[in-house]
């Protein structure tokens, strides 16, 4: 008997998590025959398999009626060599490649039978995950493929493509900036961009999943070739890994592009979605539907999908969109499955939903429940909004506009969202109880894709920067001071620091808050800003290097933070703290960080000693900018001061 060649080209055999050995679409290929299986309801009147020569258009080469061979499992075996063919399933609701296709044709309408091993770039077997000992060591850079490379000023060849991140200029920029993890916005096959009309420059963030386990064709050089997108995605990962940069995938299991046309609904109607008591679809996603992670096969789907991206594409981390929609048990099952592969793979998400979920809140992956999800982190909107103002009001200012009362919320962010004796939780903006067990469970940030970028927010909310005209020289100087001050808070916090792509270039989005489908003219990075504002990128490099070079800023342990991080008495609109006694076995004995949002210089009391100033007036030099002695220090307006003894 000829040895079978198993090609996981479309769908994998999933480990059963329920009593019956149910599977999703599973294909067993040999040159002589291919067997297809589908997880579909017993009540389906018929289940049809169709085979095609192309990924789009044309009549079916063969139509096969599948048979129910077990509970909720339908099977068909087709004789002959099907390599290179395309397929769909149909239970009477429209054709679909199934829920677990791993290769597809253009626009993801049909599954593809390919040799996945042949998609590996040269040297893929030797590709290794860059070493990161603790999540506290990560510097996360969130990017959209198109934003990063589409503009002429980028001088990159593969504009808007996976391959842009393989080019020397792109790699050089990321390395010199000092980041060690790229968080790429949704890169699976999504529905809002027509891959047959890429010349029309249709833009979307990609939070509209179609095929969860296949790279997006619009980011490849040839969306018609099922192997191309897979190979080029792997080339991207390989190039970043060689540069010492991990790759984090933004995953959106909480909803689909729509319901009626989704692969979930066309395969097993209503199984994968939550419903309210009245039978309507629950809308915790804010997109008209939310998935039901608590159902055994949806949970199994998520676990196996995560495994697929890690094993097939060497992904190093996962960011869960609207994690507050998923149940805690599923998130913990994912963490367990990932730990079996590599426990250093980082998992984090949005600890909220976009609306009410038809599932008990105490069982969901909300920020308040992070303590129930060891090894999983959540974004801190506390420090974000304390710095620049609330998400739901772009014009409302906060600390950066010298609004008093934000200091305690910033302190909560500085310690990494943990319990600390010097943080008064009753004065923290959103959370009245610490929600992180360890500081590595908190993502520290001031801006991300889903909001105004930092420059736009400062222009919208800081009264002195609000103008219908181009900012004056003085206004630009103030904007830059506040930009750098905000990021200093982020990168000196004990949480995991996170920045939006292009902030180091002083990017703007023309004031657009929700730019999910805005054109390139809004979302692109202007690389010329590196020449216009070199002091900005230099400061970002400096503050990132300071964090990377000094373990005191990334202790990674709640007990160590409580032991070594001490807040100092400070005037209003100032946050000051000391990392004492060689924290984290740092070379510096005591490090003092002072964040002054006031529009004038302030004097701050510090422990008496002899100090070296390493950050002042928007400049950073670890070798020292100046020396000072005594128990007081003057801190210039709207800036950070960092010194050590």
């Amino acid at each position: 008997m000829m040895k079978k060649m198993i090609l996981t080209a479309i769908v994998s055999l999933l480990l059963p998590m329920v009593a019956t050995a149910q599977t999703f679409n599973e294909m067993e290929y040999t040159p002589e025959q291919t067997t297809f299986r589908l997880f579909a309801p017993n009540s389906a009147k018929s289940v049809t398999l169709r085979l095609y020569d192309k990924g789009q258009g044309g009549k079916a080469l063969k139509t096969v009626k599948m048979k129910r061979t077990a509970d909720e499992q339908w099977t068909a075996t087709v004789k002959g060599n099907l390599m290179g063919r395309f397929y769909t399933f149909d239970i009477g609701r429209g054709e679909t490649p199934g829920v677990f296709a791993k290769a597809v044709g253009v626009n993801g309408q049909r599954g593809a039978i390919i040799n996945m091993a042949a998609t590996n770039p040269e040297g893929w077997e030797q590709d290794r995950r860059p070493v990161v000992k603790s999540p506290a060591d990560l510097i996360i850079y969130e990017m959209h493929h198109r934003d990063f490379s589409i503009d002429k000023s980028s001088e990159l060849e593969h504009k808007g493509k996976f391959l842009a991140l393989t080019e020397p200029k792109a790699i050089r920029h990321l390395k010199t900036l000092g980041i060690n993890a790229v968080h790429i916005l949704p890169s699976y096959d999504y529905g809002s961009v027509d891959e047959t009309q890429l010349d029309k420059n249709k833009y979307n963030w990609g939070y509209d999943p179609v095929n969860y386990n296949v790279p997006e064709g619009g980011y490849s050089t040839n969306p018609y070739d099922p192997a191309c997108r897979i190979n080029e995605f792997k080339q991207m990962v390989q190039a970043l890994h060689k540069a010492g940069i991990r790759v984090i995938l933004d995953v959106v299991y909480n909803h689909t592009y729509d319901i009626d046309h989704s692969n979930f609904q066309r395969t097993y109607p209503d199984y994968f979605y939550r419903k309210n008591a009245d039978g309507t679809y629950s809308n915790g996603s804010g997109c008209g539907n939310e998935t039901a992670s608590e159902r055994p096969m949806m949970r199994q789907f998520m676990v196996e999908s995560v495994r697929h991206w890690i094993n097939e594409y060497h992904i190093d981390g996962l960011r869960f969109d609207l994690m507050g929609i998923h149940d805690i048990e599923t998130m913990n099952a994912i963490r367990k499955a990932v730990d079996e592969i590599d426990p250093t793979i980082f998992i984090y998400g949005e600890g909220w939903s976009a609306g009410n979920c038809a599932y008990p809140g105490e069982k969901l992956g909300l920020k308040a429940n992070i303590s129930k999800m060891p090894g999983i982190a959540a974004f801190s909107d506390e420090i974000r909004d304390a710095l620049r103002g609330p998400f739901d009001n772009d014009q409302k200012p906060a600390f950066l506009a010298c609004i008093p009362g934000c200091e305690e919320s910033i302190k909560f962010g500085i310690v990494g969202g943990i319990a600390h004796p010097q943080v008064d939780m009753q004065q923290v903006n959103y959370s009245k109880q610490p929600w992180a067990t360890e500081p590595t469970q908190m993502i520290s940030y001031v801006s991300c894709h889903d909001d105004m970028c930092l420059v736009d927010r400062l222009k919208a909310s800081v009264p002195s920067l609000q103008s219908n005209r181009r900012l004056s020289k003085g206004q630009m100087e103030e904007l830059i001071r506040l930009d750098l001050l905000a990021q200093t808070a982020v990168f000196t916090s004990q949480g995991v620091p996170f920045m939006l792509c292009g902030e180091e270039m002083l990017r703007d989005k023309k004031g657009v808050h929700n730019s999910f489908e805005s054109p390139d003219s809004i979302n692109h990075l202007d690389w010329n800003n590196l020449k216009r504002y070199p002091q900005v990128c230099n400061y970002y490099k400096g503050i990132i290097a300071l964090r990377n070079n000094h373990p005191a800023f990334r202790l990674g342990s709640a007990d160590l933070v409580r032991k070594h991080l001490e807040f100092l008495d400070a005037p209003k609109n100032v946050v000051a703290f000391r990392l004492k006694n060689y924290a984290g076995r740092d070379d510096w004995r005591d490090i003092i960080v002072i964040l002054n949002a006031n529009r004038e210089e302030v004097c701050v009391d510090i422990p008496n000693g002899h100090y070296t100033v390493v950050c002042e007036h928007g400049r950073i030099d670890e070798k020292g900018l100046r020396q000072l002695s005594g128990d007081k220090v003057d801190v210039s307006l709207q800036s950070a001061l960092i010194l050590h003894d």
Side-chain angles (χ1 to χ4, degrees):
M1 180 178 178
M2 180 177 291
K3 183 178 180 180
K4 290 184 177 180
M5 179 171 57
I6 307 299
L7 299 175
T8 56
I10 40 178
V11 282
S12 69
L13 176 63
L14 302 179
L15 297 176
M17 296 177 64
V18 289
T20 57
Q22 296 161 326
T23 67
F24 288 110
N25 322 335
E26 181 258 332
M27 182 192 67
E28 187 176 90
Y29 166 87
T30 71
E32 290 74 36
Q33 65 180 34
T34 301
T35 298
F36 298 87
R37 296 183 180 88
L38 184 72
F39 170 68
N42 293 331
S43 59
K45 292 182 180 180
S46 66
V47 178
T48 303
L49 168 72
R50 293 186 178 92
L51 298 173
Y52 293 91
D53 185 51
K54 297 180 180 180
Q56 187 182 57
K59 295 183 178 180
L61 298 174
K62 183 184 283 288
T63 298
V64 180
K65 293 295 183 182
M66 302 184 75
K67 296 180 180 179
R68 186 160 69 88
T69 55
D71 185 38
E72 300 179 317
Q73 182 166 293
W74 299 74
T75 305
T77 298
V78 180
K79 300 292 184 179
N81 192 341
L82 300 185
M83 181 60 68
R85 302 298 189 191
F86 297 83
Y87 69 92
T88 64
F89 300 102
D90 190 348
I91 71 165
R93 300 181 67 95
E95 293 183 71
T96 170
V99 302
F100 217 96
K102 294 181 181 177
V104 295
V106 67
N107 280 332
Q109 296 172 346
R110 296 169 182 168
I113 303 171
I114 68 170
N115 185 346
M116 290 291 281
T119 67
N120 294 342
E122 185 178 354
W124 185 243
E125 291 73 18
Q126 287 73 50
D127 179 65
R128 294 293 179 267
R129 184 167 290 118
V131 175
V132 173
K133 295 181 180 179
S134 165
D137 298 337
L138 291 169
I139 307 287
I140 301 176
Y141 185 85
E142 181 196 48
M143 71 157 61
H144 184 280
H145 295 289
R146 197 171 180 92
D147 293 6
F148 183 75
S149 58
I150 197 65
D151 196 64
K152 181 179 179 181
S153 63
S154 73
E155 298 179 347
L156 295 170
E157 177 185 355
H158 298 97
K159 291 178 171 57
K161 305 297 183 183
F162 294 132
L163 291 181
L165 289 174
T166 69
E167 296 183 44
K169 181 176 181 179
I171 294 292
R172 185 167 57 250
H173 176 74
L174 297 175
K175 286 193 68 174
T176 57
L177 183 59
I179 63 98
N180 59 9
V182 167
H183 161 162
I184 50 176
L185 261 65
S187 299
Y188 51 70
D189 182 51
Y190 59 84
S192 54
V193 171
D194 186 346
E195 296 172 2
T196 69
Q197 300 187 57
L198 295 178
D199 57 327
K200 293 187 177 180
N201 295 335
K202 170 72 174 174
Y203 181 97
N204 207 281
W205 282 340
Y207 290 93
D208 44 3
V210 174
N211 292 292
Y212 283 92
N213 301 294
V214 189
E216 162 61 20
Y219 297 142
S220 74
T221 59
N222 184 2
Y224 292 88
D225 178 1
C228 179
R229 61 181 77 191
I230 297 171
N231 170 264
E232 291 177 354
F233 189 102
K234 290 178 178 179
Q235 286 188 60
M236 174 190 69
V237 172
Q238 185 180 47
L240 289 166
H241 280 179
K242 286 181 179 178
I245 299 171
R246 288 193 166 204
V247 181
I248 296 170
L249 189 69
D250 200 323
V251 291
V252 190
Y253 297 112
N254 66 81
H255 70 275
T256 54
Y257 186 33
D258 65 4
I259 292 182
D260 290 339
H261 300 93
S262 76
N263 295 329
F264 284 153
Q265 194 73 344
R266 287 187 170 186
T267 302
Y268 201 128
D270 286 352
Y271 179 88
F272 295 97
Y273 296 99
R274 284 194 189 123
K275 286 191 173 183
N276 298 306
D278 63 2
T280 59
Y281 292 103
S282 184
N283 191 25
S285 66
C287 300
N289 61 75
E290 76 187 57
T291 55
S293 60
E294 70 279 5
R295 294 196 171 182
M297 292 301 282
M298 182 62 197
R299 178 177 297 153
Q300 185 172 331
F301 172 83
M302 291 172 65
V303 170
E304 288 305 318
S305 178
V306 164
R307 282 178 174 154
H308 171 65
W309 281 105
I310 294 171
N311 291 329
E312 185 68 42
Y313 293 95
H314 301 181
I315 289 297
D316 312 293
L318 300 131
R319 178 267 194 192
F320 281 77
D321 184 64
L322 296 181
M323 185 173 68
I325 285 176
H326 301 315
D327 69 292
I328 293 170
E329 186 176 347
T330 294
M331 292 307 302
N332 286 336
I334 291 170
R335 179 72 266 179
K336 181 180 178 183
V338 170
D339 283 347
E340 291 171 356
I341 301 171
D342 184 345
T344 72
I345 293 171
F346 191 43
I347 297 177
Y348 60 103
E350 294 179 297
W352 47 75
S353 63
N356 294 325
C357 296
Y359 201 71
E362 66 272 14
K363 295 183 178 182
L364 293 173
L366 299 165
K367 182 179 62 176
N369 296 329
I370 283 294
S371 63
K372 301 176 184 178
M373 297 183 286
I376 296 175
F379 287 91
S380 171
D381 51 349
E382 292 90 359
I383 188 172
R384 180 196 70 190
D385 290 3
L387 285 167
R388 47 105 245 213
F391 178 84
D392 60 359
N393 187 340
D394 293 334
Q395 283 71 48
K396 188 173 182 179
F399 180 77
L400 295 172
C402 203
I403 302 299
C406 304
E407 297 88 346
E408 217 65 24
S409 301
I410 293 174
K411 289 180 182 179
F412 180 67
I414 293 293
V415 302
I418 63 168
H420 189 284
Q422 289 182 286
V423 176
D424 182 359
M425 293 302 302
Q426 296 311 303
Q427 296 185 48
V428 173
N429 47 10
Y430 302 138
S431 299
K432 303 308 176 186
Q433 296 291 331
W435 47 264
T437 304
E438 299 292 348
T440 50
Q441 287 185 289
M442 191 204 87
I443 303 294
S444 179
Y445 75 122
V446 71
S447 64
C448 69
H449 74 278
D450 189 14
D451 198 355
M452 278 188 167
C453 57
L454 184 53
V455 164
D456 285 342
R457 182 62 192 233
L458 291 171
K459 289 180 179 179
S461 62
V462 178
S464 56
L465 299 179
Q466 292 173 335
S467 174
N468 293 325
R469 300 178 180 179
R470 186 174 182 177
L471 296 185
S472 67
K473 180 180 178 182
Q475 287 175 312
M476 279 302 302
E477 290 173 348
E478 180 178 10
L479 183 145
I480 289 173
R481 286 196 301 270
L482 293 175
D483 183 289
L484 305 186
L485 176 62
Q487 298 292 12
T488 305
V490 169
F491 285 107
T492 59
S493 79
Q494 293 295 323
V496 179
F498 174 107
M499 67 173 286
L500 172 64
C501 154
E503 297 287 20
E504 76 281 11
M505 301 180 195
L506 214 64
R507 80 178 293 182
D508 69 72
K509 295 194 292 182
K510 308 298 187 294
V512 178
H513 179 115
N514 190 18
S515 63
F516 78 102
E517 59 179 359
S518 298
D520 294 329
S521 58
I522 298 297
N523 285 301
H524 77 284
L525 301 191
D526 185 350
W527 288 65
N528 291 320
N529 277 4
L530 292 172
K531 298 175 183 177
R532 294 189 188 104
Y533 312 109
Q535 71 274 35
V536 174
C537 192
N538 287 337
Y539 189 93
Y540 276 65
K541 291 176 183 177
I543 196 67
I544 291 172
L546 193 68
R547 181 182 180 91
N548 284 335
N549 294 339
H550 292 278
F553 294 112
R554 42 190 175 83
L555 296 172
S557 158
D559 289 339
L560 290 177
V561 172
R562 285 186 282 265
K563 178 180 179 180
H564 292 287
L565 194 153
E566 171 188 48
F567 289 102
L568 306 177
D569 291 335
K572 286 185 178 180
N573 304 313
V574 176
V575 173
F577 61 95
R578 176 170 67 143
L579 295 161
K580 59 186 181 181
N581 301 327
Y582 301 103
R585 298 184 178 179
D586 205 292
D587 292 337
W588 295 345
R589 182 173 63 184
D590 294 316
I591 303 172
I592 295 175
V593 178
I594 304 173
L595 308 170
N596 175 26
N598 290 289
R599 295 175 61 82
E600 65 274 336
E601 184 180 274
V602 297
C603 182
V604 178
D605 293 332
I606 60 175
N608 191 43
H610 302 284
Y611 295 96
T612 299
V613 176
V614 296
C615 172
E616 188 177 33
H617 303 308
R619 295 174 56 222
I620 295 177
D621 187 343
E622 286 189 54
K623 295 179 181 178
L625 295 167
R626 66 182 176 96
Q627 306 293 314
L628 67 85
S629 298
D631 60 1
K632 296 181 184 298
V633 64
D634 293 326
V635 186
S636 61
L637 77 165
Q638 299 172 316
S639 71
L641 180 75
I642 303 177
L643 56 159
H644 72 88
D645 64 359

